[in-house]
């Protein structure tokens, strides 16, 4: 576990989240690199029946370590999640156990449909589940999975501290976002996170997602996510429109990539 990098970079990302920027993809990448995982996710579940399960609309889901889930896989999760004993524990317990193996007999779980169809294909045998936010009818869950080994106590303690910081930052960011909406402000390039600004400036230079990914040391999937977030925050409907807005609104930062 690279605790020093997790602390240093994690603190910076929490500041971005508190400012209302979508840094979750980078948070998941950081966890995967520093902790060592096969899969990391952050999902928001809405209450349904006695268990938090996705409703008519799929929950907010950010993944690192696997391809985006297909509609078929999402439907399978919708159907089988209520049968997952650790999911039920996380949803119903105010202070849930952080490890699947703390409450679930792993050999028994491995014989279930939810494991065979949803977990095994992604190498998701051992799970560490961390609550980022909990409210009536709502649960925001950060999950880390490994295939070959469980999460030891020191790692779990570090992850619990990290999750508390991320959860607090998300709540601050949501509150500030609500205040901005009340003020009637129109989102522009100034609301972009530093990473989104870098991506926007490179789009303005005509670089492709693959070229941006190589330049910044990211995956193309992460670049696409930053680009989608930049569209949402600025109201741009295309790469061309984003590039035009960037040049018009932040001409003084047009050469931002020179320092990258």
């Amino acid at each position: 576990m690279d605790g020093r990098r997790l602390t240093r970079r994690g603190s910076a990302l929490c500041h971005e989240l508190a400012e209302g920027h979508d840094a979750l993809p980078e948070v998941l990448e950081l966890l995967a690199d520093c902790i060592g995982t096969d899969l990391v996710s952050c999902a928001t579940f809405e209450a349904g029946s006695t268990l938090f399960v996705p409703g008519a609309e799929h929950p907010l889901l950010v993944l690192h370590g696997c391809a985006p889930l297909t509609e078929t896989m999402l439907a399978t999760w919708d159907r089988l999640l209520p049968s997952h004993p650790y999911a039920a524990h996380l949803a119903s317990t105010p202070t849930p156990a952080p490890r699947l193996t703390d409450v679930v007999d792993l050999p028994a779980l491995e014989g279930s449909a939810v494991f065979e169809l949803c977990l095994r294909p992604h190498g998701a045998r051992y799970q560490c589940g961390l609550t980022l936010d909990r409210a009536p009818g709502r649960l925001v869950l950060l999950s880390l999975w490994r295939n070959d080994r469980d999460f030891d106590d020191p790692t779990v303690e570090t992850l619990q501290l990290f999750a508390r910081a991320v959860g607090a930052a998300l709540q601050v960011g949501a509150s500030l976002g609500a205040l901005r909406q009340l003020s009637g402000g129109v989102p522009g390039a100034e609301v972009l996170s530093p990473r989104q600004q870098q991506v926007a400036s490179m789009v303005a230079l005509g670089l492709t997602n693959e070229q941006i990914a190589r330049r910044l040391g990211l995956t193309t999937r992460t670049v696409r996510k930053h680009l989608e977030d930049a569209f949402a925050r600025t109201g741009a409907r295309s790469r061309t429109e984003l590039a035009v807005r960037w040049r018009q609104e932040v001409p003084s930062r047009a050469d931002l990539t020179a320092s990258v």
Side-chain angles (χ1 to χ4, degrees):
M1 178 176 66
D2 189 346
R4 179 174 297 180
R5 179 168 173 249
L6 182 67
T7 300
R8 184 175 62 252
R9 180 59 181 150
S11 297
L13 291 175
C14 283
H15 280 291
E16 289 195 27
L17 290 171
E19 292 171 358
H21 303 307
D22 183 10
L24 273 178
E26 291 182 83
V27 168
L28 301 194
E29 283 191 58
L30 180 69
L31 285 169
D33 292 342
C34 293
I35 300 299
T37 66
D38 294 289
L39 177 66
V40 190
S41 74
C42 182
T44 302
F45 298 99
E46 300 298 332
S49 184
T50 58
L51 178 69
F52 286 92
V53 296
E57 296 182 1
H58 293 304
L60 171 67
L61 179 64
V62 184
L63 289 166
H64 178 79
C66 75
L69 298 183
T70 65
E71 289 298 319
T72 299
M73 179 58 76
L74 284 169
T76 301
W77 265 109
D78 286 357
R79 177 170 58 87
L80 295 177
L81 186 60
S83 69
H84 193 323
Y86 189 47
H89 172 77
L90 290 169
S92 62
T93 307
T95 55
R99 280 176 295 225
L100 177 148
T101 51
D102 291 331
V103 295
V104 175
D105 179 63
L106 188 56
L109 177 65
E110 290 177 341
S112 67
V114 68
F115 182 83
E116 286 296 328
L117 298 178
C118 299
L119 301 175
R120 187 188 294 278
H122 301 298
R125 175 171 279 104
Y126 299 97
Q127 181 181 357
C128 180
L130 303 158
T131 301
L132 298 184
D133 187 28
R134 183 187 295 272
R138 186 171 181 271
L139 173 68
V140 182
L141 184 68
L142 174 67
S143 291
L144 299 89
W145 282 276
R146 287 173 174 167
N147 185 52
D148 60 346
R149 67 194 189 283
D150 206 350
F151 298 87
D152 59 28
D153 289 343
T155 299
V156 169
E157 290 174 6
T158 298
L159 287 172
Q160 288 175 317
L161 287 172
F162 186 82
R164 283 199 288 272
V166 171
L170 286 170
Q171 291 183 26
V172 171
S175 298
L176 291 177
L179 285 175
R180 280 194 293 267
Q181 287 184 346
L182 287 176
S183 70
V186 178
E190 72 279 358
V191 304
L192 300 181
S193 70
R195 183 66 85 187
Q196 290 165 358
Q197 291 177 16
Q198 290 177 321
V199 171
S201 69
M202 292 181 186
V203 167
L205 291 176
L207 274 65
T208 66
N209 286 358
E210 290 74 17
Q211 291 170 326
I212 295 172
R214 287 196 296 271
R215 184 83 64 94
L216 297 179
L218 303 173
T219 65
T220 54
R221 189 196 316 168
T222 298
V223 171
R224 286 196 299 272
K225 185 66 171 65
H226 285 312
L227 194 54
E228 290 170 2
D229 293 335
F231 286 164
R233 289 183 176 276
T234 62
R237 292 165 294 183
S238 67
R239 295 172 70 94
T240 300
E241 188 173 341
L242 178 65
V244 170
R245 291 189 179 211
W246 177 261
R247 296 190 188 101
Q248 290 176 340
E249 296 183 26
V250 284
S252 63
R253 286 187 268 175
D255 296 327
L256 179 64
T257 52
S259 62
V260 176

